[in-house]
């Protein structure tokens, strides 16, 4: 069985996760569920990035020790992922003992091999980003990543010799076209960082102590990014007594990262792996961001929305559908109360829920709930819908494989619309009135195709919206073992009986009321 190891970034436990931060994890979970349906042996990793000055400061603000602070945050993160049905296999915390030990060993390996050397660092430091910048990297004298103030700092420090690996990295990019998705991010890395010349990276700090100490020189704390990036290895037991998971799952098939942390994953991380003589991940997928009309989500701007707020009112699947549907491959996605309510009412309620509801009630009305069998001699309308059924499977599979998640959902929804149109084309209510054999066969065929398509839709949406998929299959009376491979297996439609009365799976929202409701949430 092929394996599939997918990771999310490990999050800073510096407060409540909003829908933007939750996006990476929802996406990873969806990809994992998809691969699982395709029969892969899957492993998903997520967790928390608990060290560093920022966390130390946050703990102080709350009058807690850093460890107490991160313990509380970890519990909140785990609760949220449970609520969101995130099916991770491992939740790593960088304060975990096995991780700390492995990072210390990695540092000593780098030292012993001469990849890390001791020197002195002077530069402009951005505290929130925990990053040093050179004079030329600053934008208007501020941090180029977050735009905040920076301060001049100087310290004895260890450096990683990045320059040594620059050409090797470039060669790797050029010989591994699937390594970075999307392509334009690769070009950005080459043009903005590699071509101008890589700087050696300062990999220790002495200005604070909440971090992993260098074994051979404990007044130095290991830089959070070196500590954090290696989590993808240590979570599998790398350099521990039990490295069976590491042997089985490394290299990662996909690292998912937001665009703000691309540089760390596309430059430093592969170089660290090269220095450890380990294979590189197969693909690093860099996704865009979730924004608000007036820019980044931020509590101080009063424009934040938290996933649990949407889930509590509209359900998990509607929330996930919106998140996954709204971030296109080449642009940021936008959250607005209006678009959330519109997607809910049009896509989920009008298109999907009504299709299921109409089908279940017609089969009850015309065939006492029993799904008719199909003679196998399609007329023109059936021919067309059958072609669409075959095509959508390939389309959706290809799009997900290319990480075009919003487009994959769009393809499924076009198919839902096509199926709704099929009802209008065949007019089953007229066929049912006409008492002749020909029309009766057409009516049977129509009901059969509707159930076939709904079953297919339920499987296609399953990685994205598992609860809805279950509800649909339940209403259709389907209780097979669901897999992507059985999408084409129409023998599984024999002898089905739909439930006597299907409740709508999504109910229309009163748009104005709900838009106001969400606007109020954003101000809280
Ligand atoms: N701790 C680092 C990652 C270390 S990985 C070895 C970190 N943490 S984070 O909490 O700041 O961000 C976690 C993820 O959330 C990142 O992938 C980031 O891009 C993503 N997002 C944060 N805000 C986001 C949006 N508004 N929209 C989409 N993703 C966003 O970075």
């Amino acid at each position: 069985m092929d394996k599939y190891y997918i990771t999310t970034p490990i999050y800073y436990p510096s407060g409540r996760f909003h829908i933007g931060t939750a996006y990476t994890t929802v996406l990873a979970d969806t990809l994992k569920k998809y691969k699982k349906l395709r029969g892969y042996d899957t492993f998903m990793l997520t967790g928390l990035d608990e060290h560093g000055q920022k966390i130390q400061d946050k703990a102080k603000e709350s009058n807690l020790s850093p460890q107490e602070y991160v313990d509380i945050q970890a519990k909140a993160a785990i609760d949220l992922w449970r609520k969101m049905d995130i099916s991770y296999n491992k939740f790593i915390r960088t304060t975990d003992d096995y991780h700390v030990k492995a990072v210390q060993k990695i540092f000593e390996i780098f030292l012993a091999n001469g990849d890390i050397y001791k020197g002195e660092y002077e530069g402009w430091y951005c505290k929130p980003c925990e990053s040093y910048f050179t004079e030329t990297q600053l934008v208007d004298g501020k941090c180029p990543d977050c735009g905040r103030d920076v301060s001049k700092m100087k310290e004895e420090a260890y450096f990683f010799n990045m320059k040594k690996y620059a050409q090797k990295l470039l060669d790797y990019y050029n010989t591994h076209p699937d390594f970075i998705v999307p392509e334009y991010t690769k070009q950005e890395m080459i043009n903005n960082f590699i071509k101008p010349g890589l700087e050696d990276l300062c990999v220790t700090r002495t200005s604070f102590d909440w971090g992993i100490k260098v074994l051979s020189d404990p007044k130095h704390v290991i830089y959070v990014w070196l500590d954090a990036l290696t989590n993808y290895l240590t979570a599998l037991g790398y350099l521990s007594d039990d490295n069976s998971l590491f042997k089985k799952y490394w290299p990662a098939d996909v690292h998912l990262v937001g665009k703000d942390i691309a540089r760390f994953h596309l430059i430093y991380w592969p170089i660290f792996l090269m220095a450890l003589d380990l294979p590189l991940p197969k693909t690093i997928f860099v996704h865009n961001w979730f924004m608000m009309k007036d820019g980044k989500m931020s509590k101080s701007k009063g424009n934040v929305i938290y996933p649990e707020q949407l889930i509590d009112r509209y359900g998990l699947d509607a929330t996930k559908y919106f998140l996954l549907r709204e971030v296109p491959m080449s642009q940021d996605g936008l959250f607005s109360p209006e678009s959330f309510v519109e997607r809910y009412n049009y896509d989920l309620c009008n298109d999907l829920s009504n299709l299921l509801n109409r089908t279940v009630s017609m089969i009850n009305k015309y065939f006492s709930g029993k799904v008719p069998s199909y003679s196998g001699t399609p007329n023109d309308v059936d021919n067309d819908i059958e072609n669409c059924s075959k095509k959508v499977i390939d389309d959706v599979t290809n799009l997900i494989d290319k990480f075009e998640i919003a487009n994959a959902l769009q393809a499924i929804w076009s198919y839902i619309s096509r199926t709704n149109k099929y009802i209008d084309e065949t007019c089953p209510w007229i066929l049912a009135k006409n008492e002749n054999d020909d029309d009766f066969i057409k009516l049977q065929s129509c009901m059969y195709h509707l159930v076939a398509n709904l079953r297919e839709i339920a499987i296609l949406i399953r990685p994205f919206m598992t609860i809805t998929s279950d509800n649909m299959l339940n209403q259709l009376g389907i209780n097979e073992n669901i897999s992507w491979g059985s999408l084409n297996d129409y023998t599984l439609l024999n002898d089905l009986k739909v439930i006597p009365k299907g409740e709508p799976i999504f109910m229309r929202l009163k748009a104005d009321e709900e838009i106001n409701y969400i606007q109020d949430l954003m101000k809280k």
Side-chain angles (χ1 to χ4, degrees):
M1 195 193 283
D2 285 339
K3 63 94 189 169
Y4 184 73
Y5 175 34
I6 182 161
T7 68
T8 72
I10 47 172
Y11 288 59
Y12 292 125
S14 48
R16 204 169 156 193
F17 297 159
H18 56 58
I19 54 162
T21 21
Y23 174 74
T24 318
T25 303
V26 170
L27 181 59
D29 180 57
T30 302
L31 289 168
K32 178 207 153 157
K33 285 176 173 153
Y34 159 73
K35 284 287 182 176
K36 201 162 180 186
L37 280 177
R38 290 191 58 183
Y40 283 72
D41 169 2
T42 54
F43 192 94
M44 173 179 162
L45 172 68
T46 191
L48 292 181
D49 187 357
E50 300 187 336
H51 290 127
Q53 175 137 37
K54 191 163 56 178
I55 305 298
Q56 186 170 312
D57 292 351
K58 280 265 174 190
K60 207 167 163 198
E61 275 168 32
S62 323
N63 274 328
L64 295 167
S65 72
Q67 190 63 54
E68 284 167 339
Y69 175 79
V70 294
D71 286 349
I72 294 170
Q73 296 284 324
K75 190 180 167 305
I78 289 169
D79 285 349
L80 176 63
W81 298 150
R82 190 174 301 124
K83 190 171 177 113
M84 299 195 79
D85 186 34
I86 302 297
S87 59
Y88 59 80
N89 299 82
K90 171 123 188 135
F91 188 93
I92 187 171
R93 300 178 54 187
T94 51
T95 49
D96 288 342
D97 185 50
Y98 63 87
H99 174 78
V100 172
K101 286 192 177 128
V103 171
Q104 288 178 320
K105 285 185 193 163
I106 289 171
F107 195 95
E108 295 302 316
I109 295 173
F110 289 157
L111 262 179
N113 292 345
D115 288 314
I116 283 182
Y117 61 91
K118 201 173 191 173
E120 195 172 61
Y121 195 83
E122 190 177 353
W124 295 99
Y125 189 65
C126 174
K127 207 162 155 186
C129 296
E130 318 218 14
S131 292
Y132 269 104
F133 298 98
T134 58
E135 188 82 41
T136 50
Q137 284 172 322
L138 300 180
V139 176
D140 299 332
K142 308 253 182 205
C143 169
D145 285 348
C146 74
R148 280 180 266 218
D149 286 340
V150 289
S151 50
K152 191 106 184 197
M153 301 233 308
K154 188 174 178 176
E155 54 182 309
E156 178 195 86
Y158 288 87
F159 289 83
F160 190 100
N161 188 348
M162 289 288 163
K163 290 188 195 86
K164 178 174 154 193
Y165 291 94
Q167 188 56 45
K168 201 171 166 189
L169 182 66
L170 202 56
D171 294 344
Y172 192 89
Y173 280 11
N174 289 332
T175 48
H176 295 78
D178 295 335
F179 182 53
I180 302 174
V181 181
E183 175 68 25
Y184 63 77
T185 306
K186 173 159 100 184
Q187 293 312 328
E188 264 169 37
M189 292 299 130
I190 297 175
N191 297 335
N192 301 350
F193 301 106
I194 306 181
K195 286 227 169 112
L198 283 187
E199 301 279 336
D200 286 354
L201 179 73
C202 179
V203 287
T204 57
R205 302 286 183 266
T206 49
S207 49
F208 62 91
D209 64 358
W210 178 239
I212 302 181
K213 297 195 167 34
V214 175
L215 261 189
S216 54
D217 194 355
K219 75 169 191 292
H220 292 268
V221 163
I222 297 173
Y223 175 44
V224 270
W225 273 100
L226 173 53
D227 166 352
L229 286 162
T230 53
N231 91 91
Y232 304 128
L233 302 171
T234 64
L236 301 179
Y238 177 65
L239 298 181
S240 80
D241 296 340
D242 179 5
N243 68 354
S244 48
L245 285 176
F246 177 74
K247 281 198 194 139
K248 185 168 172 192
Y249 289 111
W250 192 259
D253 294 272
V254 184
H255 288 319
L256 278 186
V257 300
K259 60 182 182 178
D260 55 320
I261 54 175
R263 178 167 58 103
F264 299 95
H265 284 83
L266 301 177
I267 295 182
Y268 304 144
W269 179 228
I271 290 182
F272 291 151
L273 288 168
M274 285 172 176
L276 290 169
D277 207 12
L278 290 175
L280 268 46
K282 289 185 195 142
T283 297
I284 300 180
F285 173 56
V286 181
H287 65 74
N288 286 304
W289 266 37
F290 237 104
M291 307 295 275
M292 296 307 223
K293 267 190 202 136
D294 50 353
K296 272 192 185 177
M297 264 174 239
S298 97
K299 211 170 170 182
S300 51
K301 278 198 209 160
N303 69 358
V304 185
I305 192 102
Y306 298 102
E308 58 275 34
Q309 295 175 319
L310 294 177
I311 295 168
D312 287 344
R313 189 149 178 108
Y314 307 105
L316 177 59
D317 280 6
T319 306
K320 289 210 286 195
Y321 174 71
F322 186 84
L323 289 182
L324 295 165
R325 182 71 184 75
E326 287 293 325
V327 179
M329 188 70 156
S330 54
Q331 274 166 276
D332 286 331
L334 205 63
F335 179 88
S336 76
E338 292 79 5
S339 56
F340 184 87
V341 172
E342 196 172 302
R343 287 245 173 256
Y344 192 103
N345 276 346
Y346 288 98
D347 299 8
L348 301 181
C349 185
N350 280 12
D351 294 348
L352 180 61
S353 181
N354 281 353
L355 175 63
L356 177 70
N357 208 249
R358 287 161 93 188
T359 303
V360 170
S361 57
M362 285 192 290
I363 292 175
N364 274 310
K365 191 163 167 197
Y366 305 139
F367 295 97
S368 311
K370 197 171 168 337
V371 178
S373 53
Y374 171 47
S375 68
T377 42
N379 50 44
D380 285 351
V381 194
D382 293 347
N383 254 331
D384 188 55
I385 199 88
E386 285 183 15
N387 288 337
C388 292
S389 304
K390 284 187 204 116
K391 191 171 168 305
V392 71
I393 300 174
D394 288 344
D395 287 352
V396 173
T397 307
N398 288 334
L399 289 166
I400 303 180
D401 286 341
K402 287 193 291 180
F403 302 102
E404 296 196 25
I405 300 302
N407 288 340
L409 280 172
Q410 190 182 32
I412 300 173
W413 256 260
S414 303
Y415 183 57
I416 294 172
S417 300
R418 177 67 193 86
T419 309
N420 273 315
K421 190 169 150 228
Y422 171 74
I423 302 184
D424 301 336
E425 286 168 348
T426 42
C427 301
W429 47 92
I430 297 175
L431 296 174
K433 273 193 205 141
N434 299 346
E435 290 182 351
N436 64 62
D437 285 356
D438 235 24
D439 283 345
F440 184 69
I441 290 173
K442 279 189 188 156
L443 183 64
Q444 283 185 313
S445 170
C446 172
M447 293 303 121
Y448 172 90
H449 281 98
L450 288 177
V451 173
N453 287 18
L454 278 163
R455 170 182 172 276
E456 196 180 355
I457 293 161
I459 301 175
L460 291 172
I461 65 167
R462 199 168 180 78
F464 307 89
M465 305 164 80
T466 315
I467 303 169
T468 305
S469 169
D470 275 343
N471 283 341
M472 291 176 69
L473 295 168
N474 176 43
Q475 293 208 8
L476 297 169
I478 297 172
N479 59 7
E480 65 192 54
N481 250 341
I482 305 300
S483 78
W484 208 257
S486 70
L487 268 166
N488 263 322
D489 186 353
Y490 294 101
T491 61
L492 294 166
L493 288 169
N494 295 342
D495 298 324
L496 291 184
K497 200 162 178 359
V498 301
I499 61 168
K501 180 155 179 24
E503 294 300 326
I505 48 175
F506 292 99
M507 298 281 263
R508 202 173 168 77
L509 302 173
K510 288 194 180 121
D512 291 347
E513 264 175 41
E514 298 308 318
I515 290 169
N516 286 338
Y517 179 85
I518 300 172
Q519 274 164 349
D520 285 345
L521 286 181
M522 285 160 59
K523 289 181 205 135
K524 277 187 188 158

